[in-house]
Amino acid sequence: MTEVGARETNAVTDAAAVVAPGDAGARAAPPRRARAGAGRGGRARGFATWIWGLAGILTIALLWEGYKLVGPANGVEVGDLRIMPRTTDLAMPHVWDMLGRLFEPVTRADDALPLWAAVALAALTTLGIAAAGWLVGVVVGIGLALVMQRWRIAEWGLLPWIVLSQTVPLIAFAPIVKSWGSRIEIGAFEWQDWMSVALIASYLAFFPIAIGALKGLQSPDRIHTELMETYAAGYWQTLVKLRFPAAVPYLLPALRLGAANAVIGAVVAEVSTGLQGGIGRILIQFAGQASGDPAKAWGPIFGAIVLGLVAAGSVALLGVILSNYRRNEEHA
């Protein structure tokens, strides 16, 4: 019986190798010359991505300065409605003024940090909170996807509520979460304010992860699942050897989107709950000083943009580890 069991296990592994990832099939290893060409092509695509990204930033800067040069001081108005912003230095500082302000002290105090350093410290605080929320969102999102994939009735019952959950306005929801959290005390454990922010971040992060994971877990063709059944593979063997590898091309874009959503949720929650130390708080603080120092208010805005790019880009490390399963990656 032991020998028979071993043969069945090997057969299941061989079957999974045939059908995972996705419908890629069992393919012989490509020739070394072809693999080298693919590597060069991947590097070229990566370089082109950076070039197009920099070109996009330069285009935005040129459009900003072009409109500031030719646009009316009071903006473009249609009747009583202003459809384009004012072009005064107070409303639209020059790009070089905003960049130069980053290297000046935040205040006139002798020990004041440069603006970029203050923004970076605040961004790191928000990044840590957003990362905690993203991890919670990953656990909740994948857990819900597993339940919905396993039982169709669960998908019918849960999926509409998952979609509906994203219609709740965070600005109104965040103070409620903070109020509820402040009442939680379990022994020596006491709810901290940053946990409310992390919970809001996870609330935004879990949605794309749940949808992407569900689509990926349901992506194997019927012929592949039936092949696993012919080798007496159980639910967990099929899940680990077939469904999870097939879900990777769908899950990675969802994880990147979830990371960006976690940053948005953290920033909005910091503003709504008044949490100190994060980039959301200095956004409000510096915006209140814009009348006397308009370029300063753009520092945390640039920081929030970079923060979102860093959060989404960090997930790309998972893509490097799981590169063998990304042949047919779906972009969210």
Side-chain angles (χ1 to χ4, degrees):
M1 295 297 292
T2 303
E3 183 178 354
V4 173
R7 286 201 300 268
E8 290 182 353
T9 301
N10 292 336
V12 170
T13 303
D14 293 340
V18 171
V19 298
D23 58 352
R27 299 176 182 176
R32 183 175 300 176
R33 189 172 299 174
R35 289 199 301 268
R40 287 194 295 269
R43 288 192 294 270
R45 286 193 297 271
F47 182 73
T49 300
W50 281 99
I51 293 298
W52 281 109
L54 292 175
I57 295 174
L58 181 60
T59 300
I60 293 174
L62 291 176
L63 290 175
W64 180 280
E65 290 297 329
Y67 175 70
K68 183 174 175 62
L69 178 64
V70 302
N74 291 326
V76 178
E77 298 180 346
V78 177
D80 296 332
L81 179 65
R82 180 179 291 109
I83 60 174
M84 294 294 287
R86 297 183 177 92
T87 59
T88 61
D89 290 339
L90 183 62
M92 291 184 63
H94 287 288
V95 172
W96 49 85
D97 289 337
M98 292 185 287
L99 295 178
R101 183 65 179 86
L102 292 173
F103 299 95
E104 298 176 4
V106 178
T107 63
R108 296 181 179 178
D110 295 337
D111 57 347
L113 293 173
L115 179 60
W116 70 265
V119 170
L121 291 175
L124 287 175
T125 300
T126 302
L127 181 62
I129 297 174
W134 179 79
L135 289 174
V136 174
V138 169
V139 174
V140 174
I142 294 180
L144 288 172
L146 287 171
V147 171
M148 289 188 291
Q149 184 276 320
R150 184 68 176 88
W151 295 285
R152 181 58 60 88
I153 191 172
E155 180 183 355
W156 295 341
L158 289 176
L159 191 57
W161 291 104
I162 291 175
V163 175
L164 186 63
S165 69
Q166 301 304 296
T167 64
V168 177
L170 291 185
I171 294 179
F173 187 53
I176 297 175
V177 173
K178 180 182 178 181
S179 176
W180 288 348
S182 63
R183 302 172 187 175
I184 298 177
E185 292 186 12
I186 304 174
F189 172 79
E190 185 175 350
W191 188 269
Q192 303 295 322
D193 289 342
W194 70 267
M195 295 179 183
S196 300
V197 176
L199 186 61
I200 295 296
S202 68
Y203 182 77
L204 282 187
F206 92 95
F207 173 71
I209 296 172
I211 301 301
L214 177 62
K215 184 178 180 182
L217 292 173
Q218 294 176 340
S219 64
D221 293 335
R222 185 176 183 84
I223 189 174
H224 296 158
T225 57
E226 289 178 350
L227 179 59
M228 297 294 286
E229 291 174 0
T230 62
Y231 286 100
Y235 169 75
W236 291 108
Q237 286 180 303
T238 303
L239 180 67
V240 173
K241 296 181 180 297
L242 173 61
R243 293 192 182 278
F244 266 134
V248 170
Y250 299 86
L251 189 55
L252 286 175
L255 290 174
R256 289 196 294 268
L257 184 57
N261 283 0
V263 170
I264 295 173
V267 172
V268 173
E270 286 173 351
V271 172
S272 300
T273 62
L275 181 69
Q276 301 290 331
I279 201 166
R281 187 60 181 175
I282 65 172
L283 271 169
I284 298 300
Q285 180 182 348
F286 291 175
Q289 303 170 6
S291 59
D293 193 354
K296 180 180 180 181
W298 287 90
I301 295 176
F302 293 152
I305 294 172
V306 173
L307 180 59
L309 294 175
V310 169
S314 299
V315 183
L317 297 176
L318 290 176
V320 175
I321 299 173
L322 301 173
S323 58
N324 290 336
Y325 301 99
R326 300 180 62 190
R327 297 171 187 169
N328 298 313
E329 181 168 333
E330 297 287 338
H331 295 281

